[in-house]
């Protein structure tokens, strides 16, 4: 029996425009398929009107906690980070920006496999979206400690936005603290 995680948005979130964001997350996840990204298994709307996403269930811990608890050396930490880079590079190749890269969205399982999660604030790279997809939606939903300056200033984002967050993550993994 395979296990899955079912993501259901809270009704209050749906009432505040969250339904569009939730639908966008499903569309963006459908664009990415990579061993280091939690897979979208199904998406839809129940007869009750409740939207849902069915995702690969990942049993793991945040990458920083995983590294610290196991007292991993620099080489092992960089190896895990390279898996994160591969996942983000794949997303970018599919024209998807994550926009919320942080340790709690990057889990490592007991086998040492990295999985990137939570594309809830992801977006398509502007200029490359299919017809009917709004890439200019402004959404101030992010984790302030890991966000690029352009996100804080509500300016246009690019792949550099994710690269900035990756730099923060690498610093945390190697120095043991936030820059």
């Amino acid at each position: 029996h395979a296990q899955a995680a079912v993501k259901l948005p809270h009704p209050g979130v749906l009432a505040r425009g969250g339904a569009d964001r939730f639908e966008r997350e499903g569309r963006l996840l459908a664009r990415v398929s990579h061993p280091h990204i939690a897979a979208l298994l199904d998406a839809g709307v129940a007869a009750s009107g409740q939207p849902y996403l069915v995702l690969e269930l990942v049993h793991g811990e945040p990458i920083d906690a995983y590294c610290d608890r196991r007292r991993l050396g620099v080489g092992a930490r960089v190896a895990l980070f390279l898996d994160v880079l591969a996942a983000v590079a794949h997303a970018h190749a599919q024209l998807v920006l994550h926009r919320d890269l942080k340790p709690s969205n990057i889990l490592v399982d007991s086998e040492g496999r990295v999985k990137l999660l939570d594309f809830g604030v992801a977006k398509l790279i502007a200029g490359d979206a299919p017809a009917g997809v709004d890439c200019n939606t402004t959404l101030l939903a992010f984790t302030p400690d890991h966000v690029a300056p352009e996100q804080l200033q509500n300016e246009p984002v690019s792949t550099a936005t994710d690269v900035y967050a990756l730099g923060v993550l690498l610093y945390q993994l190697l120095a043991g603290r936030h820059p």
Side-chain angles (χ1 to χ4, degrees):
H1 295 268
Q3 292 184 323
V6 179
K7 188 172 183 178
L8 304 169
H10 186 276
V13 170
L14 292 175
R16 296 188 314 268
D20 291 339
R21 187 174 87 200
F22 197 75
E23 181 183 340
R24 184 176 65 243
E25 179 179 2
R27 282 194 320 267
L28 294 178
L29 276 170
R31 293 176 70 96
V32 296
S33 177
H34 189 273
H36 297 299
I37 297 175
L40 174 68
L41 304 174
D42 192 18
V45 178
S48 66
Q50 171 71 57
Y52 64 87
L53 297 176
V54 180
L55 303 159
E56 171 186 2
L57 180 63
V58 179
H59 292 286
E61 61 186 307
I63 190 169
D64 57 343
Y66 178 90
C67 290
D68 292 347
R69 196 162 63 75
R70 287 169 178 72
R71 299 180 187 190
L72 297 183
V74 170
R77 289 170 186 254
V78 169
L80 288 173
F81 184 74
L82 290 174
D83 289 343
V84 175
L85 289 181
V88 174
H90 173 76
H92 287 178
Q94 303 308 310
L95 308 176
V96 175
L97 298 177
H98 189 280
R99 298 196 308 171
D100 196 22
L101 295 168
K102 59 185 177 185
S104 62
N105 282 340
I106 303 163
L107 299 185
V108 184
D109 68 16
S110 61
E111 305 287 320
R113 291 181 297 244
V114 168
K115 287 289 184 172
L116 179 57
L117 312 170
D118 198 355
F119 281 74
V121 297
K123 70 175 271 183
L124 285 173
I125 296 171
D128 293 309
V133 177
D134 179 11
C135 291
N136 298 314
T137 301
T138 300
L139 179 66
L140 296 176
F142 47 70
T143 305
D145 287 349
H146 295 87
V147 7
E150 61 272 16
Q151 283 176 287
L152 283 174
Q153 297 165 2
N154 200 23
E155 294 178 358
V157 294
S158 70
T159 54
T161 304
D162 281 351
V163 171
Y164 180 94
L166 289 166
V168 171
L169 174 66
L170 181 60
Y171 189 95
Q172 285 181 290
L173 292 178
L174 299 179
R177 61 185 176 83
H178 191 280

